[in-house]
Amino acid sequence: MFHKKLLALTGALLALTVLSAQPALAQEAGATTSEASDSASGAVRGDRVLPGRTSDGARERRDRRNRSQQRNRAPVATPEENKAAAQALLTAAGVGCQVSEASLLGVTPEQHSTYEVICSEGPGYLAVSSTPPQAFSCLELAGQAETSRLRDPAADVGQQCTLPANLDPVPVLTTYARAAGVDCTVERGSAIGKSPAGNLIYEIDCADRDGFWLENAAGTWKATPCWDLTLQRQDSCRYTTAAESLGAWSTVLAGTEAAACDVRQARRVGRDAQGLMVYEVKCGGGDGYFARVGSRFTAERVHTCVEAATIAGGCTLTTAAAPTSEQ
């Protein structure tokens, strides 16, 4: 569900040369010990050399290793240099991030530097100095990893962001929720995939209430409640419980004839001619309603099951008496 370029990132970052470069140094140390032993004895196998001298072949091998190690070792840079380099990469990649901190993770064999970036606002990124430069949201990478681990706890999830500021999605998702008009205490959340339009979707968990999906479509944030999503697909929301989704109906039905309904069950019926979504709800007392719900997910009109007997097949969650001729 995520963009294909994530696969390219995983392949590139698996080859990162870590700053310490321990395996390369260990291999060099072993080879050098052998050469030192030969040199101390005044000979290299198969050649006659003067004591203390090194054969041309050994010198060439040593120089080749040194050049390779120098190419792959991450260059030493100051924090300000890392910050400036990362800012240039994100700007070139079209990411609107004001870099507040950047850490150089390493350099790939293709000499692509990779930085982890903290932004003054919004999520952090991994920035890669490829051609063209690429940037990957820490929230998106973490969401991909969470989804993969749900399928397979031992899954290889590739390079992830590790700076503390990039590990907590709540501040960023709270900002997104406010922009979408959701007033709740966000306890957790993650990126869960992309919409058919290619927009990244986030799920948020609200404290003691129904959660939401958040999506930025053409620069405008919109929120879809989990009570509606789970009526379309039961496993749509991983953080919201069934009880929290049913409890959300008190807000949906507020101010209508059905406001006192203790909703125990609900179903989607379809969309009416005015573009309103029609739902059936079953109340704890055994009665039920049809509710016509607008774009703000609040009911604009409700009908008892008796009144709704001729609408889309009538109520199916409750049993209603047949309407009289007067009704």
Side-chain angles (χ1 to χ4, degrees):
M1 298 171 64
F2 287 80
H3 198 280
K4 291 182 179 179
K5 67 182 182 180
L6 287 173
L7 297 176
L9 171 70
T10 302
L13 296 184
L14 285 176
L16 279 175
T17 300
V18 184
L19 297 179
S20 60
Q22 291 296 332
L25 290 178
Q27 292 170 6
E28 182 184 7
T32 304
T33 300
S34 175
E35 290 171 10
S37 176
D38 289 338
S39 180
S41 65
V44 174
R45 291 183 182 89
D47 294 314
R48 290 181 58 83
V49 297
L50 295 175
R53 301 287 182 89
T54 303
S55 71
D56 291 341
R59 184 184 299 108
E60 183 179 349
R61 290 193 298 272
R62 180 197 62 198
D63 292 343
R64 188 164 54 246
R65 280 194 301 271
N66 289 341
R67 287 194 300 270
S68 176
Q69 182 183 342
Q70 186 62 36
R71 282 196 305 269
N72 292 331
R73 182 183 294 126
V76 177
T78 67
E80 286 304 314
E81 288 173 334
N82 287 337
K83 182 177 174 180
Q87 183 69 73
L89 289 176
L90 291 178
T91 301
V95 175
C97 163
Q98 185 62 45
V99 178
S100 60
E101 182 181 337
S103 174
L104 179 60
L105 302 183
V107 180
T108 69
E110 296 77 22
Q111 297 301 293
H112 295 160
S113 298
T114 301
Y115 299 85
E116 182 178 350
V117 178
I118 298 174
C119 301
S120 57
E121 294 182 0
Y125 289 87
L126 292 183
V128 184
S129 64
S130 56
T131 304
Q134 298 181 81
F136 303 92
S137 163
C138 291
L139 272 177
E140 188 171 357
L141 291 171
Q144 168 85 351
E146 184 177 1
T147 300
S148 297
R149 287 179 179 133
L150 285 174
R151 298 193 189 103
D152 177 8
D156 181 1
V157 297
Q159 182 72 32
Q160 296 290 313
C161 298
T162 59
L163 294 177
N166 289 334
L167 296 180
D168 182 9
V170 170
V172 174
L173 294 179
T174 297
T175 299
Y176 293 168
R178 296 291 184 271
V182 175
D183 184 17
C184 82
T185 301
V186 179
E187 291 191 324
R188 55 183 170 169
S190 64
I192 59 173
K194 290 190 175 181
S195 69
N199 303 318
L200 194 60
I201 296 175
Y202 305 89
E203 180 187 347
I204 60 170
D205 178 24
C206 293
D208 302 321
R209 57 170 289 191
D210 192 49
F212 292 85
W213 278 13
L214 305 177
E215 177 185 354
N216 190 312
T220 301
W221 283 98
K222 69 175 186 177
T224 305
C226 282
W227 65 259
D228 176 62
L229 292 164
T230 53
L231 292 178
Q232 301 174 61
R233 179 174 165 175
Q234 193 171 8
D235 62 350
S236 294
C237 294
R238 68 182 69 170
Y239 303 132
T240 299
T241 66
E244 288 172 337
S245 288
L246 290 176
W249 280 99
S250 62
T251 300
V252 178
L253 300 174
T256 70
E257 178 187 346
C261 175
D262 176 19
V263 177
R264 300 296 179 86
Q265 197 173 352
R267 73 178 179 95
R268 262 178 165 237
V269 177
R271 198 172 294 277
D272 67 10
Q274 288 74 45
L276 301 177
M277 184 58 68
V278 181
Y279 301 86
E280 179 191 354
V281 295
K282 177 181 179 181
C283 307
D287 54 339
Y289 294 88
F290 266 23
R292 299 178 187 264
V293 177
S295 59
R296 295 183 179 275
F297 294 99
T298 56
E300 297 187 10
R301 295 197 302 276
V302 298
H303 312 277
T304 66
C305 283
V306 172
E307 297 168 338
T310 59
I311 303 175
C315 291
T316 61
L317 301 179
T318 61
T319 302
T324 64
S325 58
E326 180 181 347
Q327 290 172 326

